[in-house]
Amino acid sequence: MDPLFLFIELLSVLCFLMIILYYHHLQSIKTSSMEPTKWPILGHLPGLIANIHHLHDWSTGVLAGAVYNFEGRGGWTGLRYFLTCDPSNVRHIFTSNFANYPKGDVFAMTFDILGGGIFSADGESWRRQRVKVQMLMADPRFRALTAGCSHDKVEKSLLPFLALAADEGRPCDLVDVFLRLTLDVTCTLICGIDPGSLVTGLPVVPFMTATDVALGTIFLRHVIPVTYWKLMRRLNVGPERKMAVARRTIDSFVDDLIAQRREQADMLNLNDGANTAYVDLLSPYLCDENTSDDDFSTSDEFIHDTVLNLLVAGRDGMAAALSWFFYLVSTTPRVEQKLLDELSLVVASKDGVDGAGSAAVDSCSGGMATFHASEIKCLVYLHAAMCETLRLYPPIPFEFKTAAAADVLPCGKVLKAGDKVLFFNYAMSRMEGVWGKDCMEFRPERWITEEGSLRYEPSYKFFSFNTGPRTCLGKDMAFVLTKTVAAAMLWNFAFEVVPGHVVEPKLSIILHMKNGLLVRVRRRSRTMSHVVNAKT
Ligand code: HEM
């Protein structure tokens, strides 16, 4: 045999053996079988790319194996995160040492479409915006508006739409329905304008498609190294090209809303500061334009960013919460029955037994029933089921923060200034050490005490609405709308997920469903005995 050929052959075998040995070495230094392999040059990136289609469940496995904390490294690409789902780290970063973890430049750059609005603002700008939004949302008139608007939308748009779907026997995508419903409600509450997207025929709403693209692209910006996605943006290629188009659509939708609102305000003379009529969240900002000397807080750009931030904050979270609620309830008959029993009590207590179960309940078209915020307030099991949905499927499944200065986390991790921490809210809900052995089960009962009242869970553990000084400002509004919708839909209709329809999370910063939620809708036939039984 040719000696050169023999040499090459031996060298190949040697290389092959070395690769196998090195691979075994990489596997042996892992602390758990779920941990991704840390390759030379690319670090954990190959594992991330291979599992990105089920990122939330994959990262849950990684964090469970690594006992809540994991150092994610993208090798030479520069992608670096400290991943955690440890409640003590959450409490430390979001509350105890809040000042050291501003949203920062990286957040503002990643979420650039939100401009200088409350979500990405820091320091004095954030504080002033927060004080104002908090004051407006706590106003009893705004609360009444939220309750009234949610009820009206359910009665006039949602129930008639579902009744038609039931009568025609066609499957219906509940995710699309909820995104339209929450768009109409949030636009009405924020700007006093109802875009009317939830109507028969479901018109194309470019803003909805554009938001979907934007939220998906922002997700990709978390996993693609900054230099790469910025290069794509500069060259206007790939997802960044779609993002640029989406951004223009979103901006023009928001500008149109504000223009319509201004026109309406001029007609009704709402902006002269003397008129105390309270219409929506935007009104006080428009009044300030005429009365305040502060150039920034009255600029068009600020008003635009404020509307956009509130719109995104309000709409998508509530739509995601409702979608997962109906998925969980329609696949858990035990919970569905308990919810119906609780609603029956409301109907029976207000109506007596001779009102055909419809009076608790202001009847609306076709004899269907709706529930008012005051009636829903006392529904402990419904509230528990909504919390349980938000626990298992938090609409914002992960968040990130950057350390301004070096710090040591409660888990012992030493952070340097500029280090990024990713919090996996979705994973935290699935940790036995945090929520118990039944953490994967949909069990609203975990939210109810033995005395039958709601159980308090600290917000660094039930992290779906954030915790600390940046806690969500729309939590109450979200519960009012989602419970008003859930009660009316459950009482009037039964939903069955279309067999074979695959339900899985979408790659987005909001936990929407990738394929929507296709259901068959059926009107509930209810005899009075149902209501009587519930009463006795
Ligand atoms: C189920 C529905 C909702 C969920 C799960 C939710 C969750 C959250 C979370 C996790 C944050 C923190 C985000 C971050 O700091 O990056 C947040 C912030 C916020 N949310 Fe909500 N939200 C919901 C509905 C709403 C609604 C209806 C509004 C009202 C318009 C709203 C207004 C806000 C505002 C203004 C902030 C910023 C607070 C700040 O940075 O000081 N949210 N929300």
Side-chain angles (χ1 to χ4, degrees), residues 461-483:
K461 176 181 168 193
F462 177 48
F463 183 46
S464 302
F465 289 103
N466 219 4
T467 181
R470 291 197 88 131
T471 296
C472 172
L473 288 171
K475 186 175 172 184
D476 291 348
M477 173 178 157
F479 274 121
V480 167
L481 178 89
T482 51
K483 291 194 292 180

Side-chain angles (χ1 to χ4, degrees), residues 94-171:
F94 285 81
T95 308
S96 325
N97 202 9
F98 173 75
N100 192 41
Y101 296 91
K103 288 282 176 105
D105 294 344
V106 181
F107 187 96
M109 190 170 67
T110 313
F111 288 78
D112 55 0
I113 62 161
L114 296 177
I118 186 168
F119 264 100
S120 29
D122 276 316
E124 188 52 21
S125 166
W126 164 71
R127 201 192 57 76
R128 284 168 64 178
Q129 292 190 53
R130 182 160 176 107
V131 167
K132 181 147 186 172
V133 176
Q134 194 163 25
M135 190 188 74
L136 296 175
M137 292 187 79
D139 190 315
R141 290 170 299 176
F142 182 73
R143 288 174 182 267
L145 186 72
T146 304
C149 178
S150 306
H151 178 267
D152 285 359
K153 199 73 202 168
V154 166
E155 184 179 299
K156 297 190 179 115
S157 301
L158 179 65
L159 294 185
F161 178 86
L162 292 172
L164 194 66
D167 296 344
E168 289 178 352
R170 61 182 155 84

Side-chain angles (χ1 to χ4, degrees), residues 153 157 161 179-188 192-205 208 253 257 260:
K153 199 73 202 168
S157 301
F161 178 86
L179 281 168
R180 288 167 185 274
L181 173 95
T182 52
L183 176 68
D184 291 354
V185 173
T186 42
C187 286
T188 310
I193 310 280
D194 181 348
S197 67
L198 182 58
V199 287
T200 321
L202 299 178
V204 174
V205 181
M208 288 175 58
F253 179 83
L257 274 182
Q260 282 183 54

